Amino acid sequence: MDRFTTAREAALAMRPDVPVYCFRPAVLKEDARAFMSAFPGKTAYAVKTNGEPMVLRSLAEVGITAFDVASPAEFRAVREVSPDAELLYMHPVKAQSDIRLALETYAIRVMALDHEDEIAKILRIVRALDLDPADITLYVRLQTKGLAAYELSKKFGAAPAHAVELLQRLDRIGFRTGLCFHVGSQIEDPDVYERALASADWVRARAGVALAGLDVGGGFPASYGHDPKRAKPKMPSIDALMARLRSDLAEWGFSDLPLIAEPGRVIVARAFSVLVRVLLKKGKRLYINDGIWASLSDSWTGKITLPARFIPDPARKRRSGNPDGLVPFKVCGATCDSVDILSRPFWLPETVDTGDWIEIGHIGAYSLALRTHFNGFYPDTFVEVTTPFHEGDGAEGFAAIETMAD
Ligand SMILES: *Cc1c(COP(=O)(O)O)cnc(C)c1O
């Protein structure tokens, strides 16, 4: 991988016409270490957030030994970079063939579920392989309610009374049991963890079975840009959030249990930026070489304002407009699809023009992981960049790439 000090240097040296992902391994390692030292338990990186081999390898190098995986491709990706890593198969609804692969080929011994029929599926394979249930820990996924930028609790999780039954059933069969939850992504209110812990405590007390662990999932917020025209979001700092979580864990009597967290976004968001090019400027519209079907997918980045840096092409000698102060541009994506228009603007200097580059920061989470081959465009060029996005010349603009109607 080519290496540059900054994305600006990469832009000027490569003059790329395709989006270029700028990977910052030092930032990734710093954010991973920060999480590991603040969380009082095992850190299991959520692979779906960004499963690139360079990410998994860096995390293994920094001492992450456990990974939250959901599919055979994720099992393989982790094992390829870290043969000894522990795989936690935390998807509550699994294909029978994937359960077999997990137990038989990958020797996975930790799984999650939220329904008795999933227990039956797992038990069938355990019996067929003649495994001892006592060697397997099954986490019952608890339903949570809360406030996160991305609410995921509607899809998975057993209601508390149902979770009690599931724990007791697992215990009768002879499995080791645990409780897990996942409060959503980019949480906005630290109370969601406390509410989930209160519910976990209720379930533990009613079930009366010995728990082998508590898994608090992911959801920890990453720091992003913020739109200067709007009120600054009241996002808890990760330190404040962790201090609160540690005290909630103690208060609800969980500090004696082995703890697991499954962070994704908070570890990997800052580790990548994407360098895009303006293919055409048409009045107040910019056509760029990326879009909602590639790195700027609406479903995950929808409520987030990303920092952006303007990188003018020095080959353009004449420019019009005021170079100071930001103006909003409507941004059209690379595909021919008419929905591929970002309905929130990018704010950039008025002088931006055809051929210029824009570096969009903090896109490491749920952005390159969600890119598609739609219309034949698939960004897949990577460089390494040594300077963190926010150092050096600051980000002049910001990209609010929300696609919901404003
Ligand atoms: C997606 C996911 C995570 C990671 O969530 P982040 O908000 O990125 O930290 C963790 N656990 C589970 C079960 C998930 O589905």
Side-chain angles (χ1 to χ4, degrees):
M1 209 187 315
D2 288 332
R3 204 177 208 218
F4 298 92
T5 311
T6 60
R8 185 184 303 275
E9 190 185 295
L12 301 187
M14 298 166 69
R15 302 187 59 77
D17 256 350
V18 293
V20 175
Y21 296 115
C22 302
F23 176 44
R24 292 168 167 86
V27 171
L28 177 60
K29 289 179 175 180
E30 182 186 324
D31 287 351
R33 273 195 210 99
F35 188 91
M36 284 191 287
S37 66
F39 181 71
K42 186 188 294 185
T43 297
Y45 172 68
V47 174
K48 81 165 188 289
T49 317
N50 183 330
E52 294 295 324
M54 67 191 88
V55 169
L56 302 178
R57 200 172 298 117
S58 296
L59 294 176
E61 282 166 12
V62 82
I64 291 200
T65 57
F67 293 82
D68 163 21
V69 289
S71 65
E74 291 187 355
F75 309 161
R76 252 189 324 274
V78 174
R79 278 292 157 79
E80 269 165 22
V81 305
S82 182
D84 303 326
E86 183 188 4
L87 303 177
L88 312 179
Y89 189 8
M90 303 308 281
H91 197 315
V93 180
K94 298 167 282 298
Q96 187 90 40
S97 52
D98 294 347
I99 296 170
R100 175 178 276 274
L101 186 78
L103 288 169
E104 188 172 32
T105 308
Y106 286 89
I108 291 174
R109 292 295 178 265
V110 175
M111 295 188 199
L113 57 90
D114 64 3
H115 196 271
E116 48 279 5
D117 290 355
E118 193 75 7
I119 300 179
K121 278 156 65 182
I122 295 169
L123 187 58
R124 205 173 300 143
I125 311 283
V126 166
R127 298 278 191 243
L129 296 175
D130 191 25
L131 299 173
D132 182 352
D135 293 332
I136 298 167
T137 308
L138 297 181
Y139 281 79
V140 173
R141 169 100 166 237
L142 260 181
Q143 216 173 55
T144 59
K145 293 189 176 55
L147 245 191
Y150 306 101
E151 185 57 55
L152 296 181
S153 51
K154 289 190 192 90
K155 183 162 175 183
F156 296 122
H162 187 198
V164 168
E165 281 172 37
L166 293 171
L167 281 176
Q168 290 171 340
R169 183 187 295 240
L170 290 169
D171 188 63
R172 278 196 304 275
I173 298 168
F175 287 113
R176 285 155 55 84
T177 61
L179 275 173
C180 67
F181 52 79
H182 177 55
V183 294
S185 201
Q186 190 70 8
I187 67 129
E188 289 160 358
D189 173 6
D191 288 350
V192 296
Y193 289 108
E194 170 155 36
R195 280 198 292 274
L197 290 173
S199 172
D201 177 61
W202 188 93
V203 171
R204 173 177 58 174
R206 300 290 175 300
V209 309
L211 292 184
L214 175 75
D215 181 335
V216 301
F220 307 93
S223 73
Y224 286 106
H226 108 88
D227 181 335
K229 306 264 180 320
R230 293 171 178 228
K232 193 167 176 135
K234 286 201 299 286
M235 205 63 99
S237 80
I238 191 69
D239 288 340
L241 189 69
M242 280 299 195
R244 169 79 192 275
L245 178 61
R246 283 194 304 266
S247 85
D248 289 343
L249 283 163
E251 196 175 313
W252 289 100
F254 286 110
S255 6
D256 53 325
L257 267 189
L259 300 172
I260 303 174
E262 303 163 349
R265 183 188 295 280
V266 69
I267 285 185
V268 81
R270 290 202 314 143
F272 287 82
S273 61
V274 63
L275 188 57
V276 302
R277 195 162 198 187
V278 178
L279 302 178
L280 191 77
K281 180 189 192 181
K282 197 193 274 185
K284 279 291 160 62
R285 278 186 176 208
L286 300 178
Y287 292 79
I288 63 168
N289 59 358
D290 204 311
I292 68 164
W293 299 107
S295 324
L296 306 178
S297 151
D298 61 329
S299 56
W300 284 93
T301 44
K303 293 168 187 167
I304 286 165
T305 298
L306 298 169
R309 172 175 291 129
F310 175 41
I311 304 176
D313 180 1
R316 170 175 288 277
K317 299 302 175 204
R318 301 205 351 216
R319 292 183 179 273
S320 60
N322 172 13
D324 305 316
L326 302 176
V327 293
F329 288 95
K330 196 173 188 74
V331 177
C332 300
T335 69
C336 302
D337 182 0
S338 57
V339 310
D340 191 4
I341 299 177
L342 308 180
S343 72
R344 294 287 312 283
F346 280 24
W347 291 74
L348 294 162
E350 202 175 5
T351 49
V352 64
D353 215 325
T354 302
D356 290 334
W357 293 276
I358 303 163
E359 184 191 13
I360 305 171
H362 300 198
I363 56 94
Y366 306 111
S367 106
L368 56 152
L370 292 172
R371 68 201 195 272
T372 75
H373 287 274
F374 185 42
N375 225 171
F377 297 109
Y378 186 76
D380 205 27
T381 306
F382 290 83
V383 298
E384 197 177 307
V385 164
T386 51
T387 312
F389 183 86
H390 269 107
E391 282 179 22
D393 45 353
E396 299 89 346
F398 54 91
I401 55 182
E402 182 173 328
T403 59
M404 274 166 290
D406 214 358

